[in-house]
Amino acid sequence: MNKDEPYISKAVIARLPRYYRYLGDLIDDGIERISSKELSSRMKTTASQIRQDLNKFGGFGQQGYGYNVIYLYNEIGKILGIDKKNNIIIIGAGNIGQALAKYADFEKKGFIIKAMFDIDKDLFGKKIREIPVYRLDDMESYLMQNDIQIATLACPKDNVDEIVKKVVNCGVKAIWNFTHTDLKVPKNVMVENVHLSESLMQLSYKLSSSLAEDNL
Amino acid sequence: MNKDEPYISKAVIARLPRYYRYLGDLIDDGIERISSKELSSRMKTTASQIRQDLNKFGGFGQQGYGYNVIYLYNEIGKILGIDKKNNIIIIGAGNIGQALAKYADFEKKGFIIKAMFDIDKDLFGKKIREIPVYRLDDMESYLMQNDIQIATLACPKDNVDEIVKKVVNCGVKAIWNFTHTDLKVPKNVMVENVHLSESLMQLSYKLSSSLAEDNL
């Protein structure tokens, strides 16, 4: 990103993957051009929001002509940093770690899971969909010898501070965190949390407050 | 929720599960009282934010005396609707569905996974951690005969509209959605999305824009 580029709000960034998903679906449907109006109706948002959001990144559209779907898809991909490969390791080869490893869809978006690490010696040397499971003790030497962009934490939260320290010391700048804890990382290390229990609690809140409203 | 209660913003609701998690940790550590200042320092937020948030639900604290941890934990649990049991089904007994089923931690928060449904006949009659897998065709009759609050979608997105229709027709009012699509539901049905690919793309965006800044 260039210094001259405008500040992009969190809300816009959070919407970009959704644009990317819808544009991918349009490509699958063989649609080459789409107006902001038609795209907004599919996405249940407003045409003006779409124009505003995409203008932040230089527009991409032509008045009265709509967006070139493949071009816009690729440009958003570049903004999201998925035009290049992101190599990933998964720490913790338990249920969540294995489910992520088996999920081939990430690869289509350039996220390549290269290795998993665990402390369970029964898992050492096993492969989960071609992805090898190594000893957690070997993680640092692996990270020093391989080009890894993202570390996924799918381990119990007990030793997570120590693991994060090692990962960060080895130069990894992005952590995808499935543990139920807030990580302590330096400012230049990016974290994205997936707190499944908390997501379920938010759903439970919505449900219980909507049922209470029905009963008024 | 009572009509007289103040409007609770999405941001506050999103923070409640985090309060709940920190209070649970305090209970585990044997801490009975905590000031908003001490809690804010643990949570890396401000004491004033904590007081503001909790005041929305009637306060719970006493000036100069702090919060009673167990009381506050239980009260937030009630607000989140997890003081009562939420029965869950999982539609899709693939990798993500099975990982969720194996995750016993949900039960501690009153989320009980009762059954899974799939179209793969090799899975019918199997149990994933005591949770039976049934035929998707039998889902509606199961839902009519059992008290289920939440349907989890961990299936491919292909037939998801049809599945959602059935679930909603059977009276389920909350959907936890792991499919990569936006659901069409009536207004009184609550949805919480977990879009894993989109979370990974947001991380990739953060990483790529932070690296670009470093290179300026």
Side-chain angles (χ1 to χ4, degrees), chain A residues 1-3 8 10 13-18 20-22 25 28 43-44 57 78-82 84 86 88 95-96 98-100 102-103 105-106 109 111 149-152 157 173-176 178 180-182 184 188 190-214 216, chain B residues 1-3 8 10 13-18 20-22 25 28 43-44 57 78-82 84 86 88 95-96 98-100 102-103 105-106 109 111 149-152 157 173-176 178 180-182 184 188 190-214 216:
Chain A
M1 187 162 304
N2 193 292
K3 254 187 183 166
I8 313 290
K10 263 192 181 177
I13 296 160
R15 286 196 288 270
L16 284 181
R18 195 162 169 261
Y20 192 76
R21 170 157 54 89
Y22 272 85
D25 290 346
D28 289 345
M43 293 184 66
K44 308 254 182 285
F57 301 99
K78 282 183 206 167
I79 294 163
L80 289 170
I82 52 180
K84 48 188 178 299
N86 281 290
I88 300 185
N95 299 320
I96 291 287
Q98 291 203 21
L100 294 173
K102 285 175 188 162
Y103 192 58
D105 213 47
F106 296 140
K109 296 178 179 91
F111 297 103
Q149 281 72 45
I150 298 174
T152 304
K157 67 174 178 179
K173 293 278 189 296
I175 298 178
W176 201 25
F178 284 77
H180 297 160
T181 191
D182 298 325
K184 297 178 197 100
N188 66 339
M190 305 295 127
V191 175
E192 180 74 21
N193 294 309
V194 182
H195 290 321
L196 293 177
S197 295
E198 298 190 12
S199 158
L200 204 40
M201 283 190 244
Q202 288 195 49
L203 180 58
S204 156
Y205 172 82
K206 287 183 200 171
L207 175 66
S208 100
S209 50
S210 113
L211 292 179
E213 255 174 50
D214 285 352
L216 285 181
Chain B
M1 188 162 302
N2 192 292
K3 256 189 181 166
I8 314 289
K10 263 191 180 177
I13 296 161
R15 286 196 288 270
L16 284 181
R18 194 161 170 260
Y20 192 76
R21 170 156 56 88
Y22 273 85
D25 290 347
D28 289 345
M43 293 184 66
K44 307 256 183 283
F57 301 98
K78 281 184 207 166
I79 294 163
L80 289 170
I82 53 180
K84 48 188 178 300
N86 281 289
I88 300 184
N95 299 320
I96 292 287
Q98 291 202 20
L100 295 172
K102 285 176 188 161
Y103 193 58
D105 213 47
F106 297 140
K109 295 176 181 92
F111 297 102
Q149 281 71 47
I150 297 174
T152 304
K157 68 175 176 179
K173 293 278 189 294
I175 298 179
W176 201 25
F178 284 77
H180 296 159
T181 190
D182 298 324
K184 297 178 197 99
N188 67 339
M190 304 295 127
V191 175
E192 182 74 20
N193 294 308
V194 183
H195 290 321
L196 294 176
S197 294
E198 298 190 11
S199 159
L200 203 40
M201 284 190 244
Q202 287 195 48
L203 180 58
S204 156
Y205 172 83
K206 288 184 199 170
L207 175 66
S208 100
S209 51
S210 115
L211 292 179
E213 256 174 49
D214 285 353
L216 286 181

Side-chain angles (χ1 to χ4, degrees), chain B residues 26-88:
Chain B
L26 290 171
I27 293 172
D28 289 345
D29 293 348
I31 294 169
E32 291 177 8
R33 297 216 146 257
I34 192 160
S35 66
S36 51
K37 197 179 156 191
E38 167 66 16
L39 184 58
S40 69
S41 125
R42 282 175 178 247
M43 293 184 66
K44 307 256 183 283
T45 177
T46 63
S48 108
Q49 164 133 89
I50 289 183
R51 286 192 298 266
Q52 262 180 41
D53 282 355
L54 299 182
N55 274 339
K56 295 234 159 61
F57 301 98
F60 311 123
Q62 274 175 272
Q63 191 84 42
Y65 192 58
Y67 296 106
N68 176 322
V69 172
I70 292 184
Y71 177 75
L72 185 52
Y73 179 81
N74 288 334
E75 290 300 308
I76 292 181
K78 281 184 207 166
I79 294 163
L80 289 170
I82 53 180
D83 55 325
K84 48 188 178 300
K85 282 200 170 49
N86 281 289
N87 291 331
I88 300 184

Side-chain angles (χ1 to χ4, degrees), chain A residues 94-155:
Chain A
N95 299 320
I96 291 287
Q98 291 203 21
L100 294 173
K102 285 175 188 162
Y103 192 58
D105 213 47
F106 296 140
E107 278 165 22
K108 293 183 205 151
K109 296 178 179 91
F111 297 103
I112 315 293
I113 302 169
K114 302 293 271 187
M116 304 178 76
F117 295 89
D118 206 289
I119 53 168
D120 178 356
K121 55 177 182 290
D122 290 343
L123 291 168
F124 302 156
K126 288 215 171 156
K127 289 193 173 187
I128 316 291
R129 195 178 62 89
E130 304 298 302
I131 300 160
V133 183
Y134 297 127
R135 310 163 63 93
L136 185 58
D137 285 342
D138 295 334
M139 181 186 69
E140 287 168 281
S141 63
Y142 180 92
L143 285 175
M144 301 311 277
Q145 289 163 40
N146 291 275
D147 179 39
I148 299 295
Q149 281 72 45
I150 298 174
T152 304
L153 298 177
C155 50

Side-chain angles (χ1 to χ4, degrees), chain A residues 48-116:
Chain A
S48 105
Q49 166 134 89
I50 289 182
R51 285 192 299 265
Q52 262 179 41
D53 283 355
L54 299 182
N55 274 339
K56 295 235 160 62
F57 301 99
F60 311 123
Q62 273 174 273
Q63 191 85 40
Y65 192 59
Y67 295 106
N68 175 321
V69 172
I70 292 183
Y71 177 75
L72 184 53
Y73 179 82
N74 289 334
E75 289 302 306
I76 292 181
K78 282 183 206 167
I79 294 163
L80 289 170
I82 52 180
D83 55 325
K84 48 188 178 299
K85 281 201 170 48
N86 281 290
N87 291 331
I88 300 185
I89 62 163
I90 299 177
I91 301 155
N95 299 320
I96 291 287
Q98 291 203 21
L100 294 173
K102 285 175 188 162
Y103 192 58
D105 213 47
F106 296 140
E107 278 165 22
K108 293 183 205 151
K109 296 178 179 91
F111 297 103
I112 315 293
I113 302 169
K114 302 293 271 187
M116 304 178 76

